[in-house]
Amino acid sequence: MGISIEVTESRQREKELLEKLELIERQQRVIRELSTPIIEVWEGIVVLPIIGLMDSVRTAELMDNLLQAVGRQRAHHAILDMTGIEVVDTATASHLLRMIRALRLLGAEGIITGINPGIAQTIVTQGLDLRDIVVHATLREALKHCITAESAGRGSATR
């Protein structure tokens, strides 16, 4: 009789721990979604302000969320504003460039803004090729570029 009580209590504690873990995972998903909002700032133009620490896991989530949003909203332009990032490692920088290329496959033009000197140095040191990627110093310049392209009726360069 003493053994069955201990097993029952143990299973109850295990169930409570699993419920707490599920709650924590749900909360982490919500926090990640809130930390990377994708904002439609103009018809056909979305902006992803990136703030905080970037690692390969977060970058993969960003890519998935951004590609889904561009597909849903049929956006012609997607701006990745990196003003809120201090540093990125080489794997993350490479992943961000792959994100831009993936946007192109959806028919959208990917634009990077707000690259600081540290990130620029990482990109150059690693020899990452930005020749086919539109880069603007500020979000304002990128928005002007997109609005001009939209008003000209040409959408993105790939459509």
Side-chain angles (χ1 to χ4, degrees):
M1 185 152 195
I3 294 174
S4 69
I5 292 173
E6 288 179 22
V7 170
T8 303
E9 289 175 4
S10 177
R11 287 195 177 158
Q12 181 62 31
R13 284 192 301 259
E14 181 180 336
K15 181 181 175 188
E16 290 172 2
L17 284 173
L18 288 174
E19 289 172 355
K20 288 179 182 180
L21 282 173
E22 289 174 10
L23 174 64
I24 290 169
E25 288 174 1
R26 284 193 309 270
Q27 289 171 337
Q28 286 176 333
R29 275 194 303 273
V30 168
I31 289 169
R32 282 192 303 267
E33 289 173 9
L34 291 173
S35 70
T36 54
I38 299 169
I39 306 159
E40 185 176 26
V41 293
W42 196 268
E43 186 177 335
I45 303 170
V46 295
V47 174
L48 172 61
I50 306 172
I51 299 169
L53 180 66
M54 290 298 295
D55 59 15
S56 57
V57 172
R58 185 168 178 222
T59 307
E61 290 173 355
L62 281 176
M63 182 178 203
D64 185 53
N65 292 342
L66 182 60
L67 294 176
Q68 293 296 329
V70 165
R72 258 191 330 273
Q73 297 176 13
R74 298 210 164 289
H76 301 136
H77 303 277
I79 302 170
L80 279 67
D81 183 23
M82 299 174 60
T83 305
I85 303 175
E86 290 298 318
V87 294
V88 294
D89 61 18
T90 55
T92 302
S94 179
H95 202 85
L96 287 169
L97 297 180
R98 284 194 301 275
M99 189 183 322
I100 297 294
R101 290 183 179 98
L103 287 166
R104 194 171 295 134
L105 292 174
L106 294 178
E109 178 181 39
I111 300 165
I112 297 177
T113 66
I115 295 177
N116 69 34
I119 295 172
Q121 188 173 16
T122 300
I123 290 170
V124 170
T125 301
Q126 294 305 309
L128 298 174
D129 185 13
L130 293 178
R131 282 183 290 189
D132 59 340
I133 296 177
V134 178
V135 178
H136 288 281
T138 66
L139 180 57
R140 174 180 284 193
E141 291 173 10
L143 287 170
K144 285 180 185 177
H145 166 86
C146 296
I147 291 169
T148 300
E150 288 292 320
S151 66
R154 56 187 164 93
S156 74
T158 58
R159 286 197 173 194

